[in-house]
Protein backbone atom coordinates (compact mmCIF):
# COMPACT_ATOMS: atom_id res chain seq x y z
CA UNK A 1 0.00 0.00 0.00
CA UNK A 2 2.82 2.45 0.74
CA UNK A 3 4.03 2.17 -2.85
CA UNK A 4 0.54 2.85 -4.21
CA UNK A 5 0.21 5.95 -2.03
CA UNK A 6 3.66 7.08 -3.17
CA UNK A 7 2.75 6.78 -6.84
CA UNK A 8 -0.55 8.62 -6.35
CA UNK A 9 1.12 11.50 -4.54
CA UNK A 10 3.96 11.92 -7.01
CA UNK A 11 1.65 11.87 -10.02
CA UNK A 12 -0.50 14.43 -8.21
CA UNK A 13 2.44 16.77 -7.76
CA UNK A 14 3.53 16.57 -11.39
CA UNK A 15 -0.09 17.04 -12.51
CA UNK A 16 -0.39 20.39 -10.77
CA UNK A 17 1.70 23.51 -10.37
CA UNK A 18 4.16 23.23 -7.51
CA UNK A 19 6.58 25.66 -5.97
CA UNK A 20 10.08 24.30 -5.53
CA UNK A 21 12.61 25.66 -3.05
CA UNK A 22 14.19 29.01 -3.85
CA UNK A 23 17.60 27.34 -4.12
CA UNK A 24 19.08 23.87 -4.13
CA UNK A 25 20.72 24.55 -0.79
CA UNK A 26 17.45 25.54 0.87
CA UNK A 27 15.74 22.51 -0.66
CA UNK A 28 18.47 20.25 0.70
CA UNK A 29 18.10 21.70 4.22
CA UNK A 30 14.34 21.31 4.04
CA UNK A 31 14.78 17.70 2.90
CA UNK A 32 17.07 16.93 5.86
CA UNK A 33 14.54 18.47 8.27
CA UNK A 34 11.74 16.53 6.60
CA UNK A 35 13.66 13.25 6.93
CA UNK A 36 14.28 13.87 10.64
CA UNK A 37 10.60 14.66 11.12
CA UNK A 38 9.78 11.43 9.27
CA UNK A 39 11.70 9.38 11.84
CA UNK A 40 9.85 11.16 14.65
CA UNK A 41 6.51 10.57 12.92
CA UNK A 42 7.28 6.86 12.56
CA UNK A 43 8.27 6.59 16.21
CA UNK A 44 5.06 8.27 17.36
CA UNK A 45 2.52 6.65 15.03
CA UNK A 46 3.65 3.22 13.88
CA UNK A 47 2.83 0.31 16.18
CA UNK A 48 5.90 -1.51 14.83
CA UNK A 49 8.86 0.89 14.57
CA UNK A 50 10.93 -1.45 12.37
CA UNK A 51 8.04 -1.84 9.95
CA UNK A 52 7.81 1.94 9.77
CA UNK A 53 11.52 2.21 9.05
CA UNK A 54 11.19 -0.37 6.28
CA UNK A 55 8.29 1.61 4.79
CA UNK A 56 10.36 4.78 5.04
CA UNK A 57 13.36 3.20 3.30
CA UNK A 58 11.28 1.67 0.51
CA UNK A 59 9.27 4.80 -0.26
CA UNK A 60 12.38 6.98 -0.11
CA UNK A 61 14.29 4.81 -2.57
CA UNK A 62 11.40 4.15 -4.94
CA UNK A 63 10.15 7.71 -4.55
CA UNK A 64 13.53 9.10 -5.56
CA UNK A 65 13.63 6.87 -8.65
CA UNK A 66 10.05 7.75 -9.57
CA UNK A 67 10.69 11.47 -9.05
CA UNK A 68 13.65 11.28 -11.45
CA UNK A 69 11.58 9.46 -14.08
CA UNK A 70 8.53 11.71 -13.74
CA UNK A 71 10.64 14.82 -13.38
CA UNK A 72 12.38 14.14 -16.65
CA UNK A 73 9.60 12.70 -18.79
CA UNK A 74 6.57 14.52 -17.37
CA UNK A 75 8.08 17.63 -15.81
CA UNK A 76 10.60 18.23 -18.56
CA UNK A 77 13.49 18.69 -16.14
CA UNK A 78 16.86 17.81 -17.73
CA UNK A 79 18.56 14.71 -16.34
CA UNK A 80 21.66 16.80 -15.62
CA UNK A 81 19.58 18.81 -13.16
CA UNK A 82 17.91 15.80 -11.58
CA UNK A 83 21.19 13.96 -11.05
CA UNK A 84 22.95 16.88 -9.38
CA UNK A 85 22.50 19.06 -6.31
CA UNK A 86 20.02 21.06 -8.38
CA UNK A 87 17.56 18.20 -7.74
CA UNK A 88 16.87 19.80 -4.36
CA UNK A 89 15.66 22.97 -6.07
CA UNK A 90 13.31 21.20 -8.47
CA UNK A 91 9.69 20.05 -8.53
CA UNK A 92 11.02 16.49 -8.29
CA UNK A 93 11.97 17.09 -4.64
CA UNK A 94 8.48 18.42 -3.95
CA UNK A 95 7.05 15.23 -5.45
CA UNK A 96 9.40 13.04 -3.41
CA UNK A 97 8.57 14.75 -0.12
CA UNK A 98 4.85 14.69 -0.82
CA UNK A 99 4.98 11.03 -1.84
CA UNK A 100 6.89 10.02 1.28
CA UNK A 101 4.63 12.05 3.56
CA UNK A 102 1.38 10.73 2.10
CA UNK A 103 2.49 7.11 2.02
CA UNK A 104 3.79 7.17 5.61
CA UNK A 105 0.71 8.94 6.88
CA UNK A 106 -1.72 6.62 5.12
CA UNK A 107 0.19 3.50 6.21
CA UNK A 108 1.03 4.52 9.76
CA UNK A 109 -1.54 2.26 11.35
CA UNK A 110 0.63 -0.77 10.58
Amino acid sequence: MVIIYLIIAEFGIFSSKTIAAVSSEMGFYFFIIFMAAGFIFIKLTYHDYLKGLRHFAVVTLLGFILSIILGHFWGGVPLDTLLSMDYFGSDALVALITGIALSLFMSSKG
Side-chain angles (χ1 to χ4, degrees):
M1 289 306 296
V2 294
I3 295 169
I4 292 170
Y5 296 136
L6 171 73
I7 292 169
I8 291 168
E10 287 203 16
F11 268 102
I13 290 300
F14 281 109
S15 297
S16 60
K17 180 63 186 144
T18 60
I19 299 173
V22 296
S23 69
S24 299
E25 186 176 275
M26 287 304 296
F28 179 73
Y29 292 139
F30 181 77
F31 180 70
I32 296 299
I33 292 167
F34 171 80
M35 296 298 275
F39 286 111
I40 294 168
F41 177 80
I42 291 168
K43 182 72 172 163
L44 295 175
T45 60
Y46 271 76
H47 300 298
D48 182 353
Y49 184 65
L50 291 178
K51 184 177 183 181
L53 290 180
R54 283 191 300 271
H55 285 175
F56 195 54
V58 167
V59 298
T60 300
L61 178 63
L62 292 178
F64 177 72
I65 293 167
L66 186 59
S67 73
I68 297 292
I69 293 168
L70 290 175
H72 181 67
F73 291 107
W74 191 325
V77 181
L79 279 177
D80 293 345
T81 300
L82 294 172
L83 298 175
S84 69
M85 258 319 261
D86 292 336
Y87 172 85
F88 294 101
S90 71
D91 290 346
L93 177 67
V94 177
L96 174 62
I97 288 173
T98 303
I100 292 170
L102 179 68
S103 62
L104 287 178
F105 176 73
M106 295 299 289
S107 301
S108 65
K109 305 303 179 225

